[in-house]
Amino acid sequence: MQNISPGLQAFEFWIAMAGTVAFAVTAVLAVMPRGIDPFGAVVMGIITAVGGGTVRDMILDVPVFWGSDVSYIWVALVASIAAYYGQQFVARKHVYDLMLYLDGAAVAMFAIQAASKVIRLDFGLPLAPILLGIITAIGGGLMRDVLAGNKTLLMKKELYAVPVTLGTVVYVIALPLLPGQEITVSILCALMIFGIRAAAIRWGVSLPDWMIVGKR
Amino acid sequence: MQNISPGLQAFEFWIAMAGTVAFAVTAVLAVMPRGIDPFGAVVMGIITAVGGGTVRDMILDVPVFWGSDVSYIWVALVASIAAYYGQQFVARKHVYDLMLYLDGAAVAMFAIQAASKVIRLDFGLPLAPILLGIITAIGGGLMRDVLAGNKTLLMKKELYAVPVTLGTVVYVIALPLLPGQEITVSILCALMIFGIRAAAIRWGVSLPDWMIVGKR
Amino acid sequence: MQNISPGLQAFEFWIAMAGTVAFAVTAVLAVMPRGIDPFGAVVMGIITAVGGGTVRDMILDVPVFWGSDVSYIWVALVASIAAYYGQQFVARKHVYDLMLYLDGAAVAMFAIQAASKVIRLDFGLPLAPILLGIITAIGGGLMRDVLAGNKTLLMKKELYAVPVTLGTVVYVIALPLLPGQEITVSILCALMIFGIRAAAIRWGVSLPDWMIVGKR
């Protein structure tokens, strides 16, 4: 693995924090129409923000990431409270859209980070990095949907699992073909996930009909 | 940590057992109206009784508590069968009310025990003891609601997450301020949780309207 | 523990693979009527196929079984894609029935394998082998139902948890009574589970009414 430059590390840190905010805020907004008190909203925001990575670490049997760095929980906590009481602000179209794009950026980065972690641990190659990338990126959202009683994102037409799958598949294939280029490959694959997800948010891009079987 | 007197240990043991009974019984009563066979009811009762603490131990990466002391599972098993076939008895108003209060006492004690365990492991301070206290206390109930297809307790107006959050927050703040007083602080915080929960059961106390945003 | 003959090992391997196919295929068929894209279907198929064993290994705190042998994930992946695009083939009555029986055979074998693993680890005897046998056998199916928004199999009248419970209970009781006969006991208990499950599939056998309390 290449040494990561301090600049890139700082960039990753800020994306991770912005992504945690976006996960928590979109979770709180998603459950508020069903009626929830601020305590429930905060629990939901935190579970959504850290749930996927927690399951990943438990499956890998490594220490859960927020056990040693609790800043993820602090950020999710503050963002959840802010979203709950600042609902009128964060629900505004352009603020909510910003949250969706940040959510997409976080999904992209968390998925590639997870795949990279799984590869370094030499765990279940080549499929586990893809599967755990997906679980890390959408696991928190699945818990949110299940706990809120909403249709889970796996059952929706919206592109969510698709870009993560494509990006992590390309990552797992490209990495051994381009030795010493881990950072470049990581960034390009994360951009690919974000690009597809952003296109889904912006233009409602979805899978072509011929790929989909069964009634909707 | 102070040495716990044998008397207190015995008291904790009996509350834990009574709480396990209450978790299992209220779970079985909650799923019976949806139609369930005795085998499903027992599985549901056991999952509800030990599910929260199991997730806590998996996140902490310590041995799951019922792996070395299976008495929790025995108690949940017997209580579930008794509740299933003795439904007419346990569903009586005063028996059911007793179960609700025992459930509240168990929630209070399990939450503080969990927070204490997390603090001793020096895991994710200061937020993880609160978060894992909540997960331990209500995690089994969330699994029950999800598996039964009921609205989860996070989405209900009833005070459930609220007292646990308040009590564990006070616990985490008070503990370092009162060195050598762990037992006193633990008991007072557990009583605080139980008191609020009991007020919610007895008088339907809920959060003031000004704290709650969004439609109900 | 007896040495297992290579022939029996090969037999176990093929049942496990056929069972993984059956878990994935029945999962994909179960979620398709709700409308799902192929990516979601594959994620659902894989989670259903390996979810129960994954939770078992996490509770036992042993390495997750597919971390070192990823063939389970490959099989679930290919079977899920085949089921999605070959839906018209696998949904045919006799192919689907074959899948149900394979699913039953896998449930039987996975439950007994899990119970055996728990006993060897000396974990929570005598109840944990039964409980973890049930979780291994039906855990993936429960996750599928929860993620798809379907009524979970615990809430259905169909015999699913019942044969697994009976078979693992007999296994735990018989094993110490018949030292040196582990393989015979394992095969007989797995056949018992499969037999009851097959009777439920073939003739709709269910629990006698007198055992069931509450409205349906």
Side-chain angles (χ1 to χ4, degrees):
Chain A
M1 194 196 165
Q2 284 174 281
N3 286 317
I4 299 180
S5 73
L8 189 65
Q9 266 188 313
F11 179 72
E12 277 201 6
F13 176 79
W14 289 110
I15 292 271
M17 287 300 143
T20 302
V21 168
F23 276 11
V25 168
T26 52
V28 170
L29 292 181
V31 298
M32 283 186 73
R34 309 286 297 260
I36 193 165
D37 67 49
F39 292 81
V42 166
V43 172
M44 204 68 100
I46 293 175
I47 289 176
T48 305
V50 304
T54 303
V55 170
R56 173 202 61 209
D57 290 344
M58 286 160 68
I59 289 177
L60 292 172
D61 202 15
V62 298
V64 169
F65 69 101
W66 48 270
S68 50
D69 180 2
V70 83
S71 57
Y72 290 91
I73 311 275
W74 275 117
V75 168
L77 169 70
V78 173
S80 299
I81 296 173
Y84 188 82
Y85 288 109
Q87 183 216 14
Q88 289 192 313
F89 174 71
V90 289
R92 272 187 214 162
K93 174 118 189 59
H94 60 280
V95 182
Y96 187 66
D97 280 357
L98 174 65
M99 288 298 147
L100 284 183
Y101 288 108
L102 284 176
D103 179 288
V107 159
M109 203 196 64
F110 290 150
I112 298 298
Q113 272 186 336
S116 163
K117 189 171 188 174
V118 178
I119 290 171
R120 263 178 282 132
L121 290 167
D122 195 23
F123 182 93
L125 303 183
L127 290 181
I130 300 163
L131 189 59
L132 288 168
I134 297 170
I135 288 173
T136 305
I138 73 172
L142 290 177
M143 291 180 203
R144 173 200 64 210
D145 294 339
V146 165
L147 291 174
N150 290 332
K151 198 175 175 180
T152 65
L153 53 87
L154 276 180
M155 305 304 290
K156 286 178 189 159
K157 197 165 186 175
E158 210 182 326
L159 293 189
Y160 219 102
V162 175
V164 177
T165 310
L166 294 177
T168 49
V169 166
V170 170
Y171 184 74
V172 168
I173 293 171
L175 210 56
L177 299 177
L178 298 163
Q181 304 294 318
E182 185 184 342
I183 292 173
T184 314
V185 173
S186 300
I187 293 173
L188 289 178
C189 290
L191 283 177
M192 177 185 163
I193 297 175
F194 177 68
I196 303 175
R197 181 77 193 118
I201 298 169
R202 183 71 185 79
W203 298 292
V205 168
S206 63
L207 285 180
D209 279 347
W210 60 263
M211 286 189 75
I212 296 166
V213 181
K215 81 162 184 239
R216 292 240 163 217
Chain B
M1 194 196 165
Q2 285 174 279
N3 287 318
I4 299 180
S5 72
L8 189 64
Q9 266 188 313
F11 179 71
E12 277 200 8
F13 176 79
W14 289 110
I15 292 272
M17 288 300 142
T20 302
V21 168
F23 276 11
V25 167
T26 52
V28 169
L29 292 181
V31 297
M32 282 188 73
R34 309 286 297 261
I36 193 164
D37 66 49
F39 292 80
V42 166
V43 172
M44 204 68 99
I46 294 174
I47 290 176
T48 306
V50 303
T54 303
V55 170
R56 173 202 62 208
D57 289 343
M58 286 159 69
I59 289 177
L60 293 172
D61 202 16
V62 298
V64 168
F65 69 100
W66 47 270
S68 50
D69 181 2
V70 82
S71 56
Y72 291 91
I73 312 275
W74 276 117
V75 168
L77 169 70
V78 172
S80 299
I81 295 173
Y84 189 81
Y85 288 110
Q87 184 214 14
Q88 289 192 312
F89 174 70
V90 288
R92 272 188 214 163
K93 176 119 189 58
H94 61 280
V95 182
Y96 188 66
D97 279 357
L98 173 66
M99 288 298 147
L100 284 183
Y101 288 108
L102 283 177
D103 180 289
V107 159
M109 203 196 64
F110 290 149
I112 297 300
Q113 271 186 338
S116 163
K117 188 171 188 174
V118 178
I119 290 171
R120 264 178 280 132
L121 290 166
D122 196 23
F123 182 93
L125 304 182
L127 290 181
I130 299 162
L131 188 58
L132 288 168
I134 297 169
I135 288 173
T136 304
I138 73 172
L142 290 177
M143 291 180 203
R144 173 200 63 210
D145 293 340
V146 165
L147 292 174
N150 290 332
K151 198 176 177 179
T152 65
L153 53 87
L154 275 180
M155 306 303 290
K156 286 178 188 159
K157 197 166 187 176
E158 208 182 328
L159 292 190
Y160 219 103
V162 175
V164 177
T165 310
L166 294 176
T168 49
V169 166
V170 171
Y171 183 74
V172 168
I173 294 171
L175 210 55
L177 299 177
L178 299 163
Q181 304 295 318
E182 186 184 341
I183 291 173
T184 314
V185 173
S186 300
I187 292 173
L188 289 178
C189 290
L191 283 177
M192 176 184 163
I193 297 175
F194 177 68
I196 303 174
R197 181 77 193 118
I201 297 169
R202 183 70 185 79
W203 297 292
V205 169
S206 63
L207 285 179
D209 278 347
W210 61 264
M211 287 190 75
I212 295 166
V213 181
K215 82 162 184 242
R216 291 244 163 213
Chain C
M1 192 195 168
Q2 284 174 281
N3 286 318
I4 299 180
S5 72
L8 189 66
Q9 266 188 314
F11 178 71
E12 278 201 6
F13 176 79
W14 289 110
I15 293 271
M17 287 300 142
T20 303
V21 168
F23 275 11
V25 168
T26 52
V28 169
L29 292 181
V31 296
M32 283 187 74
R34 309 285 297 259
I36 193 165
D37 67 49
F39 292 80
V42 166
V43 172
M44 205 68 100
I46 293 174
I47 289 176
T48 306
V50 303
T54 303
V55 170
R56 173 203 60 208
D57 290 343
M58 286 159 68
I59 289 177
L60 292 172
D61 202 15
V62 298
V64 169
F65 68 101
W66 47 269
S68 50
D69 180 2
V70 82
S71 56
Y72 289 91
I73 312 276
W74 275 117
V75 168
L77 169 71
V78 173
S80 300
I81 296 174
Y84 188 81
Y85 287 110
Q87 182 216 13
Q88 289 192 312
F89 174 71
V90 288
R92 272 187 214 162
K93 175 117 188 59
H94 60 280
V95 182
Y96 188 67
D97 279 357
L98 174 65
M99 288 298 147
L100 285 184
Y101 288 109
L102 284 177
D103 181 289
V107 158
M109 203 196 64
F110 290 150
I112 297 299
Q113 272 186 337
S116 162
K117 190 172 187 173
V118 177
I119 290 171
R120 262 177 282 132
L121 290 166
D122 195 23
F123 182 95
L125 302 184
L127 290 182
I130 300 162
L131 189 58
L132 289 168
I134 297 169
I135 287 173
T136 305
I138 73 172
L142 290 176
M143 291 181 203
R144 173 200 64 210
D145 293 339
V146 165
L147 291 173
N150 291 332
K151 197 176 178 181
T152 65
L153 53 87
L154 275 180
M155 305 304 288
K156 286 177 187 159
K157 196 165 187 176
E158 209 183 326
L159 293 191
Y160 220 103
V162 175
V164 177
T165 310
L166 295 177
T168 49
V169 166
V170 171
Y171 183 74
V172 168
I173 293 171
L175 211 55
L177 299 178
L178 299 162
Q181 305 294 321
E182 187 185 341
I183 292 173
T184 313
V185 173
S186 300
I187 292 174
L188 289 178
C189 290
L191 283 177
M192 177 184 162
I193 297 175
F194 177 68
I196 303 174
R197 180 77 192 116
I201 298 170
R202 182 71 185 80
W203 297 292
V205 169
S206 64
L207 285 180
D209 278 348
W210 61 264
M211 287 188 74
I212 297 166
V213 181
K215 83 161 183 240
R216 292 246 161 210

